[in-house]
Amino acid sequence: MEIIPGLQLHLDLMEEFGWVFGKPRINRLRGDYSFISADNQVKNPSHQSPSGIWRPPPLGYLKCNTDAAYVHSRAMGAASMVFRDREGFLEFSSAKKVATSSALIAEGLALREAMNIAINLGMQRVIFESDCLQLVSACREEGDSGKLMPILTDIFNLKNQFQACGFTLVHRDGNVAAHSVATLALRDRLPLNWQGALPLELKEALAKDRTTWRRIAVQASSSSPVRVAAEVFQPL
């Protein structure tokens, strides 16, 4: 069967981003939703090359990006989390300083805190995303847990309290929002009640992520001669 070039490009894009009708959604770009089965349980195949852009979560999910900033000489870090909806808009964000022995532990503490907060806020389906390869691999039971083991025990217990939950890796370029919050917290530049008046750095990061993803969606849809379903290229 011959497929015209524009349609082939569209079909390839749909498959690449996990938008294949009638199939479980599999993202081969390795930085977003892992594998979401028919029963909405997030499976975790290994992934090797994280994406450099933030991508929205699947329908019915929230995405939480976590990060940590750390100063070795002070044995002090800051853990942050940024929850966003499918359209890339902020649902909740938080950060706090943590006294710890390594940047890796600070990353783990950020994830554990984010999971606790998600549960307390009644969030049932969440994709947790980090730019820390060792942390994500350990959470997916694909790598050496090492110093993370005590924290991992908590993380695995918390995971069972969600309807669906997964851990994904993103390049640091796709984790700027969480990184900006962690950096500001470490430098004591987050005022009290800052959630009501977001820092400029966070506003800019959120806007850039939405704009980047919107551009990708528009370019993809304009390259296809067929009209796609609203869920596939839902404007951000």
Side-chain angles (χ1 to χ4, degrees):
M1 178 179 68
E2 181 180 1
I3 300 180
I4 58 177
L7 178 58
Q8 182 62 65
L9 174 62
H10 172 66
L11 293 174
D12 290 344
L13 184 85
M14 289 176 67
E15 183 176 4
E16 189 73 12
F17 280 79
W19 290 326
V20 181
F21 295 111
K23 296 182 180 180
R25 289 169 288 184
I26 304 173
N27 182 1
R28 296 199 311 249
L29 290 186
R30 308 292 193 181
D32 198 24
Y33 318 138
S34 305
F35 180 104
I36 301 174
S37 64
D39 61 358
N40 285 323
Q41 294 303 307
V42 179
K43 311 300 181 182
N44 292 314
S46 61
H47 55 260
Q48 302 163 356
S49 56
S51 168
I53 62 171
W54 182 89
R55 293 196 297 278
L59 188 65
Y61 285 75
L62 295 175
K63 176 177 278 190
C64 174
N65 287 80
T66 66
D67 198 20
Y70 185 72
V71 179
H72 180 75
S73 61
R74 295 166 50 196
M76 178 63 66
S80 69
M81 66 202 71
V82 175
F83 289 85
R84 280 175 276 189
D85 63 17
R86 182 174 168 81
E87 296 185 344
F89 290 106
L90 185 66
E91 289 281 331
F92 180 83
S93 183
S94 180
K96 70 176 183 179
K97 285 189 174 182
V98 292
T100 183
S101 58
S102 72
L104 176 60
I105 297 298
E107 295 275 5
L109 292 173
L111 175 56
R112 185 179 68 181
E113 180 71 8
M115 295 180 75
N116 269 312
I117 287 179
I119 292 169
N120 290 335
L121 293 177
M123 300 174 180
Q124 293 296 315
R125 298 182 178 185
V126 185
I127 303 297
F128 292 96
E129 188 167 80
S130 169
D131 59 16
C132 180
L133 174 61
Q134 188 173 349
L135 173 63
V136 174
S137 296
C139 289
R140 296 159 70 103
E141 302 181 73
E142 297 171 353
D144 180 21
S145 57
K147 299 177 181 178
L148 287 168
M149 181 51 71
I151 299 174
L152 279 178
T153 300
D154 293 338
I155 287 174
F156 292 146
N157 288 334
L158 291 169
K159 180 180 179 181
N160 293 331
Q161 299 184 46
F162 291 90
Q163 288 183 4
C165 161
F167 307 101
T168 59
L169 182 68
V170 67
H171 188 275
R172 62 168 48 188
D173 290 344
N175 206 36
V176 175
H179 178 73
S180 67
V181 176
T183 301
L184 290 171
L186 187 61
R187 296 175 179 174
D188 293 318
R189 291 179 53 196
L190 283 177
L192 293 175
N193 301 319
W194 59 270
Q195 290 90 346
L198 298 181
L200 178 61
E201 294 89 338
L202 178 55
K203 285 183 179 179
E204 291 178 344
L206 294 172
K208 182 178 180 181
D209 286 342
R210 289 196 302 272
T211 300
T212 300
W213 182 252
R214 183 188 297 116
R215 184 172 66 250
I216 292 173
V218 169
Q219 290 173 348
S221 60
S222 64
S223 69
S224 170
V226 295
R227 185 171 182 175
V228 297
E231 180 189 1
V232 176
F233 294 116
Q234 182 173 349
L236 299 185

